[in-house]
mmCIF file of all heavy atoms in Angstrom:
data_model
loop_
_atom_site.group_PDB
_atom_site.id
_atom_site.type_symbol
_atom_site.label_atom_id
_atom_site.label_comp_id
_atom_site.label_asym_id
_atom_site.label_seq_id
_atom_site.Cartn_x
_atom_site.Cartn_y
_atom_site.Cartn_z
ATOM 1 N N ALA A 160 76.540 50.164 113.345
ATOM 2 C CA ALA A 160 77.067 51.286 114.135
ATOM 3 C C ALA A 160 76.422 51.413 115.505
ATOM 4 O O ALA A 160 76.860 52.220 116.324
ATOM 5 C CB ALA A 160 76.900 52.581 113.369
ATOM 6 N N LEU A 161 75.402 50.645 115.784
ATOM 7 C CA LEU A 161 74.670 50.815 117.053
ATOM 8 C C LEU A 161 75.510 50.501 118.279
ATOM 9 O O LEU A 161 75.311 51.103 119.335
ATOM 10 C CB LEU A 161 73.401 49.970 117.048
ATOM 11 C CG LEU A 161 72.283 50.571 116.215
ATOM 12 C CD1 LEU A 161 71.176 49.566 115.992
ATOM 13 C CD2 LEU A 161 71.740 51.821 116.869
ATOM 14 N N GLU A 162 76.446 49.599 118.162
ATOM 15 C CA GLU A 162 77.298 49.273 119.309
ATOM 16 C C GLU A 162 78.058 50.517 119.763
ATOM 17 O O GLU A 162 78.147 50.788 120.962
ATOM 18 C CB GLU A 162 78.278 48.151 118.956
ATOM 19 C CG GLU A 162 79.096 47.699 120.139
ATOM 20 C CD GLU A 162 79.989 46.519 119.804
ATOM 21 O OE1 GLU A 162 79.668 45.748 118.876
ATOM 22 O OE2 GLU A 162 81.024 46.387 120.482
ATOM 23 N N GLU A 163 78.580 51.285 118.820
ATOM 24 C CA GLU A 163 79.296 52.513 119.146
ATOM 25 C C GLU A 163 78.390 53.562 119.796
ATOM 26 O O GLU A 163 78.865 54.413 120.534
ATOM 27 C CB GLU A 163 79.879 53.143 117.875
ATOM 28 C CG GLU A 163 80.942 52.347 117.195
ATOM 29 C CD GLU A 163 81.353 53.008 115.884
ATOM 30 O OE1 GLU A 163 81.252 54.250 115.766
ATOM 31 O OE2 GLU A 163 81.760 52.263 114.976
ATOM 32 N N LEU A 164 77.115 53.489 119.513
ATOM 33 C CA LEU A 164 76.171 54.469 120.035
ATOM 34 C C LEU A 164 75.611 54.089 121.408
ATOM 35 O O LEU A 164 74.803 54.808 121.961
ATOM 36 C CB LEU A 164 75.010 54.634 119.044
ATOM 37 C CG LEU A 164 75.378 55.172 117.668
ATOM 38 C CD1 LEU A 164 74.148 55.178 116.760
ATOM 39 C CD2 LEU A 164 75.963 56.569 117.774
ATOM 40 N N GLY A 165 76.037 52.953 121.950
ATOM 41 C CA GLY A 165 75.581 52.549 123.278
ATOM 42 C C GLY A 165 74.269 51.781 123.282
ATOM 43 O O GLY A 165 73.583 51.747 124.294
ATOM 44 N N TRP A 166 73.937 51.149 122.160
ATOM 45 C CA TRP A 166 72.658 50.433 122.053
ATOM 46 C C TRP A 166 72.497 49.396 123.171
ATOM 47 O O TRP A 166 71.435 49.339 123.799
ATOM 48 C CB TRP A 166 72.532 49.771 120.690
ATOM 49 C CG TRP A 166 71.247 49.007 120.533
ATOM 50 C CD1 TRP A 166 71.097 47.661 120.543
ATOM 51 C CD2 TRP A 166 69.948 49.558 120.350
ATOM 52 N NE1 TRP A 166 69.772 47.329 120.375
ATOM 53 C CE2 TRP A 166 69.044 48.489 120.257
ATOM 54 C CE3 TRP A 166 69.450 50.857 120.263
ATOM 55 C CZ2 TRP A 166 67.675 48.658 120.069
ATOM 56 C CZ3 TRP A 166 68.082 51.031 120.092
ATOM 57 C CH2 TRP A 166 67.205 49.941 120.003
ATOM 58 N N ASP A 167 73.520 48.589 123.423
ATOM 59 C CA ASP A 167 73.390 47.552 124.451
ATOM 60 C C ASP A 167 73.175 48.168 125.831
ATOM 61 O O ASP A 167 72.336 47.697 126.586
ATOM 62 C CB ASP A 167 74.634 46.646 124.451
ATOM 63 C CG ASP A 167 74.732 45.782 123.215
ATOM 64 O OD1 ASP A 167 73.687 45.533 122.581
ATOM 65 O OD2 ASP A 167 75.843 45.359 122.871
ATOM 66 N N GLU A 168 73.901 49.218 126.147
ATOM 67 C CA GLU A 168 73.758 49.895 127.431
ATOM 68 C C GLU A 168 72.373 50.521 127.560
ATOM 69 O O GLU A 168 71.758 50.500 128.616
ATOM 70 C CB GLU A 168 74.837 50.984 127.564
ATOM 71 C CG GLU A 168 74.786 51.746 128.865
ATOM 72 C CD GLU A 168 75.808 52.875 128.921
ATOM 73 O OE1 GLU A 168 76.656 52.986 128.014
ATOM 74 O OE2 GLU A 168 75.743 53.643 129.890
ATOM 75 N N ALA A 169 71.880 51.061 126.455
ATOM 76 C CA ALA A 169 70.569 51.731 126.457
ATOM 77 C C ALA A 169 69.446 50.781 126.842
ATOM 78 O O ALA A 169 68.441 51.217 127.413
ATOM 79 C CB ALA A 169 70.304 52.344 125.083
ATOM 80 N N GLN A 170 69.583 49.513 126.569
ATOM 81 C CA GLN A 170 68.507 48.555 126.819
ATOM 82 C C GLN A 170 68.145 48.441 128.299
ATOM 83 O O GLN A 170 67.064 47.960 128.644
ATOM 84 C CB GLN A 170 68.896 47.172 126.285
ATOM 85 C CG GLN A 170 69.174 47.123 124.792
ATOM 86 C CD GLN A 170 68.047 47.700 123.965
ATOM 87 O OE1 GLN A 170 66.926 47.195 123.961
ATOM 88 N NE2 GLN A 170 68.339 48.772 123.249
ATOM 89 N N ALA A 171 69.028 48.903 129.183
ATOM 90 C CA ALA A 171 68.711 48.897 130.615
ATOM 91 C C ALA A 171 67.788 50.051 130.996
ATOM 92 O O ALA A 171 67.224 50.064 132.086
ATOM 93 C CB ALA A 171 70.002 48.989 131.440
ATOM 94 N N GLY A 172 67.641 51.028 130.095
ATOM 95 C CA GLY A 172 66.783 52.176 130.350
ATOM 96 C C GLY A 172 65.534 52.118 129.498
ATOM 97 O O GLY A 172 65.063 51.040 129.117
ATOM 98 N N ILE A 173 65.012 53.283 129.202
ATOM 99 C CA ILE A 173 63.866 53.413 128.313
ATOM 100 C C ILE A 173 64.409 53.966 126.992
ATOM 101 O O ILE A 173 65.145 54.955 126.996
ATOM 102 C CB ILE A 173 62.808 54.369 128.910
ATOM 103 C CG1 ILE A 173 62.266 53.776 130.235
ATOM 104 C CG2 ILE A 173 61.678 54.636 127.924
ATOM 105 C CD1 ILE A 173 61.448 54.744 131.054
ATOM 106 N N VAL A 174 64.047 53.343 125.896
ATOM 107 C CA VAL A 174 64.609 53.703 124.602
ATOM 108 C C VAL A 174 63.514 54.186 123.657
ATOM 109 O O VAL A 174 62.499 53.507 123.477
ATOM 110 C CB VAL A 174 65.338 52.486 123.973
ATOM 111 C CG1 VAL A 174 65.935 52.860 122.625
ATOM 112 C CG2 VAL A 174 66.421 51.948 124.914
ATOM 113 N N LEU A 175 63.751 55.363 123.073
ATOM 114 C CA LEU A 175 62.895 55.904 122.022
ATOM 115 C C LEU A 175 63.714 55.839 120.734
ATOM 116 O O LEU A 175 64.847 56.310 120.706
ATOM 117 C CB LEU A 175 62.523 57.360 122.315
ATOM 118 C CG LEU A 175 61.815 57.626 123.633
ATOM 119 C CD1 LEU A 175 61.765 59.127 123.920
ATOM 120 C CD2 LEU A 175 60.420 57.052 123.596
ATOM 121 N N VAL A 176 63.152 55.284 119.677
ATOM 122 C CA VAL A 176 63.888 55.128 118.428
ATOM 123 C C VAL A 176 63.093 55.712 117.266
ATOM 124 O O VAL A 176 62.004 55.221 116.954
ATOM 125 C CB VAL A 176 64.189 53.637 118.117
ATOM 126 C CG1 VAL A 176 64.997 53.515 116.822
ATOM 127 C CG2 VAL A 176 64.903 52.960 119.266
ATOM 128 N N GLU A 177 63.641 56.757 116.659
ATOM 129 C CA GLU A 177 63.074 57.263 115.407
ATOM 130 C C GLU A 177 63.766 56.522 114.279
ATOM 131 O O GLU A 177 64.962 56.252 114.338
ATOM 132 C CB GLU A 177 63.317 58.759 115.280
ATOM 133 C CG GLU A 177 62.593 59.572 116.346
ATOM 134 C CD GLU A 177 62.752 61.055 116.148
ATOM 135 O OE1 GLU A 177 62.568 61.534 115.000
ATOM 136 O OE2 GLU A 177 63.081 61.739 117.136
ATOM 137 N N TRP A 178 63.008 56.142 113.255
ATOM 138 C CA TRP A 178 63.494 55.355 112.118
ATOM 139 C C TRP A 178 63.944 53.964 112.566
ATOM 140 O O TRP A 178 65.061 53.525 112.289
ATOM 141 C CB TRP A 178 64.612 56.110 111.367
ATOM 142 C CG TRP A 178 64.188 57.468 110.934
ATOM 143 C CD1 TRP A 178 64.482 58.649 111.558
ATOM 144 C CD2 TRP A 178 63.319 57.800 109.855
ATOM 145 N NE1 TRP A 178 63.870 59.679 110.912
ATOM 146 C CE2 TRP A 178 63.153 59.205 109.859
ATOM 147 C CE3 TRP A 178 62.674 57.049 108.873
ATOM 148 C CZ2 TRP A 178 62.361 59.869 108.930
ATOM 149 C CZ3 TRP A 178 61.899 57.711 107.935
ATOM 150 C CH2 TRP A 178 61.746 59.111 107.973
ATOM 151 N N PRO A 179 63.093 53.215 113.265
ATOM 152 C CA PRO A 179 63.477 51.901 113.774
ATOM 153 C C PRO A 179 63.753 50.860 112.698
ATOM 154 O O PRO A 179 64.382 49.834 112.997
ATOM 155 C CB PRO A 179 62.280 51.486 114.638
ATOM 156 C CG PRO A 179 61.129 52.235 114.071
ATOM 157 C CD PRO A 179 61.708 53.554 113.610
ATOM 158 N N ASP A 180 63.342 51.121 111.460
ATOM 159 C CA ASP A 180 63.655 50.179 110.386
ATOM 160 C C ASP A 180 65.164 50.018 110.207
ATOM 161 O O ASP A 180 65.622 48.996 109.704
ATOM 162 C CB ASP A 180 63.007 50.632 109.075
ATOM 163 C CG ASP A 180 63.435 52.021 108.661
ATOM 164 O OD1 ASP A 180 63.318 52.955 109.493
ATOM 165 O OD2 ASP A 180 63.865 52.199 107.513
ATOM 166 N N ARG A 181 65.947 50.992 110.669
ATOM 167 C CA ARG A 181 67.418 50.924 110.559
ATOM 168 C C ARG A 181 68.020 49.932 111.584
ATOM 169 O O ARG A 181 69.179 49.628 111.510
ATOM 170 C CB ARG A 181 68.057 52.290 110.769
ATOM 171 C CG ARG A 181 67.523 53.440 109.945
ATOM 172 C CD ARG A 181 67.719 53.274 108.455
ATOM 173 N NE ARG A 181 67.755 54.507 107.706
ATOM 174 C CZ ARG A 181 66.711 55.173 107.247
ATOM 175 N NH1 ARG A 181 65.489 54.752 107.514
ATOM 176 N NH2 ARG A 181 66.848 56.267 106.514
ATOM 177 N N LEU A 182 67.197 49.446 112.511
ATOM 178 C CA LEU A 182 67.696 48.507 113.525
ATOM 179 C C LEU A 182 67.926 47.105 112.967
ATOM 180 O O LEU A 182 68.702 46.337 113.545
ATOM 181 C CB LEU A 182 66.714 48.400 114.708
ATOM 182 C CG LEU A 182 66.598 49.619 115.596
ATOM 183 C CD1 LEU A 182 65.436 49.443 116.569
ATOM 184 C CD2 LEU A 182 67.902 49.857 116.348
ATOM 185 N N GLY A 183 67.268 46.763 111.897
ATOM 186 C CA GLY A 183 67.411 45.429 111.323
ATOM 187 C C GLY A 183 67.111 44.359 112.349
ATOM 188 O O GLY A 183 66.088 44.437 113.061
ATOM 189 N N PRO A 184 68.004 43.395 112.528
ATOM 190 C CA PRO A 184 67.759 42.293 113.455
ATOM 191 C C PRO A 184 67.803 42.689 114.937
ATOM 192 O O PRO A 184 67.434 41.919 115.804
ATOM 193 C CB PRO A 184 68.865 41.294 113.130
ATOM 194 C CG PRO A 184 69.949 42.090 112.521
ATOM 195 C CD PRO A 184 69.268 43.221 111.797
ATOM 196 N N LEU A 185 68.224 43.929 115.217
ATOM 197 C CA LEU A 185 68.273 44.386 116.605
ATOM 198 C C LEU A 185 66.940 44.957 117.078
ATOM 199 O O LEU A 185 66.800 45.350 118.239
ATOM 200 C CB LEU A 185 69.371 45.439 116.770
ATOM 201 C CG LEU A 185 70.803 44.960 116.497
ATOM 202 C CD1 LEU A 185 71.790 46.102 116.632
ATOM 203 C CD2 LEU A 185 71.165 43.808 117.427
ATOM 204 N N LEU A 186 65.955 44.997 116.203
ATOM 205 C CA LEU A 186 64.635 45.492 116.571
ATOM 206 C C LEU A 186 64.016 44.556 117.612
ATOM 207 O O LEU A 186 63.774 43.392 117.329
ATOM 208 C CB LEU A 186 63.727 45.581 115.345
ATOM 209 C CG LEU A 186 62.331 46.107 115.569
ATOM 210 C CD1 LEU A 186 62.361 47.585 115.976
ATOM 211 C CD2 LEU A 186 61.493 45.936 114.318
ATOM 212 N N PRO A 187 63.779 45.064 118.828
ATOM 213 C CA PRO A 187 63.222 44.185 119.865
ATOM 214 C C PRO A 187 61.788 43.761 119.581
ATOM 215 O O PRO A 187 60.958 44.579 119.176
ATOM 216 C CB PRO A 187 63.271 45.055 121.130
ATOM 217 C CG PRO A 187 64.184 46.174 120.815
ATOM 218 C CD PRO A 187 64.096 46.375 119.336
ATOM 219 N N ALA A 188 61.500 42.503 119.795
ATOM 220 C CA ALA A 188 60.152 41.969 119.555
ATOM 221 C C ALA A 188 59.142 42.579 120.524
ATOM 222 O O ALA A 188 57.957 42.681 120.214
ATOM 223 C CB ALA A 188 60.158 40.448 119.686
ATOM 224 N N HIS A 189 59.590 43.008 121.694
ATOM 225 C CA HIS A 189 58.684 43.531 122.719
ATOM 226 C C HIS A 189 58.416 45.028 122.581
ATOM 227 O O HIS A 189 57.730 45.623 123.411
ATOM 228 C CB HIS A 189 59.251 43.252 124.117
ATOM 229 C CG HIS A 189 60.490 44.055 124.423
ATOM 230 N ND1 HIS A 189 61.741 43.682 123.967
ATOM 231 C CD2 HIS A 189 60.674 45.197 125.116
ATOM 232 C CE1 HIS A 189 62.634 44.565 124.377
ATOM 233 N NE2 HIS A 189 61.994 45.498 125.078
ATOM 234 N N ALA A 190 58.916 45.667 121.535
ATOM 235 C CA ALA A 190 58.794 47.122 121.384
ATOM 236 C C ALA A 190 57.345 47.549 121.212
ATOM 237 O O ALA A 190 56.517 46.813 120.681
ATOM 238 C CB ALA A 190 59.612 47.584 120.180
ATOM 239 N N LEU A 191 57.066 48.775 121.657
ATOM 240 C CA LEU A 191 55.793 49.427 121.355
ATOM 241 C C LEU A 191 56.018 50.153 120.034
ATOM 242 O O LEU A 191 56.894 51.015 119.930
ATOM 243 C CB LEU A 191 55.408 50.429 122.448
ATOM 244 C CG LEU A 191 54.170 51.267 122.138
ATOM 245 C CD1 LEU A 191 52.914 50.401 122.051
ATOM 246 C CD2 LEU A 191 53.987 52.374 123.173
ATOM 247 N N ASP A 192 55.267 49.793 119.019
ATOM 248 C CA ASP A 192 55.381 50.435 117.716
ATOM 249 C C ASP A 192 54.413 51.596 117.657
ATOM 250 O O ASP A 192 53.221 51.449 117.939
ATOM 251 C CB ASP A 192 55.077 49.437 116.599
ATOM 252 C CG ASP A 192 56.137 48.347 116.503
ATOM 253 O OD1 ASP A 192 57.329 48.700 116.486
ATOM 254 O OD2 ASP A 192 55.763 47.163 116.448
ATOM 255 N N ILE A 193 54.937 52.755 117.279
ATOM 256 C CA ILE A 193 54.138 53.961 117.159
ATOM 257 C C ILE A 193 54.287 54.457 115.719
ATOM 258 O O ILE A 193 55.375 54.818 115.285
ATOM 259 C CB ILE A 193 54.624 55.049 118.151
ATOM 260 C CG1 ILE A 193 54.570 54.502 119.580
ATOM 261 C CG2 ILE A 193 53.792 56.308 117.996
ATOM 262 C CD1 ILE A 193 55.235 55.387 120.613
ATOM 263 N N PHE A 194 53.197 54.402 114.973
ATOM 264 C CA PHE A 194 53.190 54.817 113.577
ATOM 265 C C PHE A 194 52.484 56.162 113.487
ATOM 266 O O PHE A 194 51.319 56.283 113.904
ATOM 267 C CB PHE A 194 52.452 53.793 112.716
ATOM 268 C CG PHE A 194 53.001 52.396 112.833
ATOM 269 C CD1 PHE A 194 52.412 51.486 113.710
ATOM 270 C CD2 PHE A 194 54.097 52.007 112.078
ATOM 271 C CE1 PHE A 194 52.912 50.197 113.826
ATOM 272 C CE2 PHE A 194 54.596 50.709 112.200
ATOM 273 C CZ PHE A 194 54.005 49.800 113.071
ATOM 274 N N ILE A 195 53.171 57.167 112.966
ATOM 275 C CA ILE A 195 52.601 58.512 112.875
ATOM 276 C C ILE A 195 52.491 58.900 111.406
ATOM 277 O O ILE A 195 53.434 58.760 110.637
ATOM 278 C CB ILE A 195 53.487 59.529 113.622
ATOM 279 C CG1 ILE A 195 53.719 59.080 115.075
ATOM 280 C CG2 ILE A 195 52.854 60.912 113.581
ATOM 281 C CD1 ILE A 195 54.717 59.930 115.843
ATOM 282 N N SER A 196 51.331 59.388 111.037
ATOM 283 C CA SER A 196 51.138 59.887 109.684
ATOM 284 C C SER A 196 50.289 61.149 109.752
ATOM 285 O O SER A 196 49.660 61.435 110.771
ATOM 286 C CB SER A 196 50.473 58.830 108.795
ATOM 287 O OG SER A 196 49.224 58.454 109.336
ATOM 288 N N LEU A 197 50.315 61.909 108.696
ATOM 289 C CA LEU A 197 49.538 63.136 108.630
ATOM 290 C C LEU A 197 48.262 62.893 107.835
ATOM 291 O O LEU A 197 48.260 62.166 106.849
ATOM 292 C CB LEU A 197 50.355 64.248 107.984
ATOM 293 C CG LEU A 197 51.618 64.657 108.755
ATOM 294 C CD1 LEU A 197 52.426 65.648 107.933
ATOM 295 C CD2 LEU A 197 51.259 65.236 110.112
ATOM 296 N N ASN A 198 47.187 63.469 108.316
ATOM 297 C CA ASN A 198 45.926 63.444 107.568
ATOM 298 C C ASN A 198 45.265 64.811 107.742
ATOM 299 O O ASN A 198 45.750 65.612 108.525
ATOM 300 C CB ASN A 198 45.046 62.252 107.974
ATOM 301 C CG ASN A 198 44.374 62.413 109.312
ATOM 302 O OD1 ASN A 198 44.102 63.526 109.755
ATOM 303 N ND2 ASN A 198 44.086 61.321 109.976
ATOM 304 N N PRO A 199 44.199 65.097 107.047
ATOM 305 C CA PRO A 199 43.587 66.443 107.135
ATOM 306 C C PRO A 199 43.191 66.846 108.554
ATOM 307 O O PRO A 199 43.156 68.047 108.865
ATOM 308 C CB PRO A 199 42.362 66.341 106.213
ATOM 309 C CG PRO A 199 42.719 65.270 105.249
ATOM 310 C CD PRO A 199 43.549 64.278 106.021
#
């Protein structure tokens, strides 16, 4: 469904992706991975 959402067009800008595991093979190798978890 990413094509309908403008994924290709978005690549010309800055992209923030929540739940990037849903990207599958479209996950860019150059991405900055940000892992957030809760601790005390």
Side-chain angles (χ1 to χ4, degrees):
L161 283 167
E162 185 176 334
E163 294 175 29
L164 297 175
W166 180 254
D167 291 337
E168 180 184 353
Q170 301 306 297
I173 297 168
V174 180
L175 303 169
V176 182
E177 295 184 48
W178 305 100
D180 57 308
R181 308 297 205 275
L182 290 171
L185 297 177
L186 181 66
H189 69 279
L191 174 65
D192 293 311
I193 303 170
F194 304 96
I195 305 173
S196 59
L197 296 174
N198 74 28

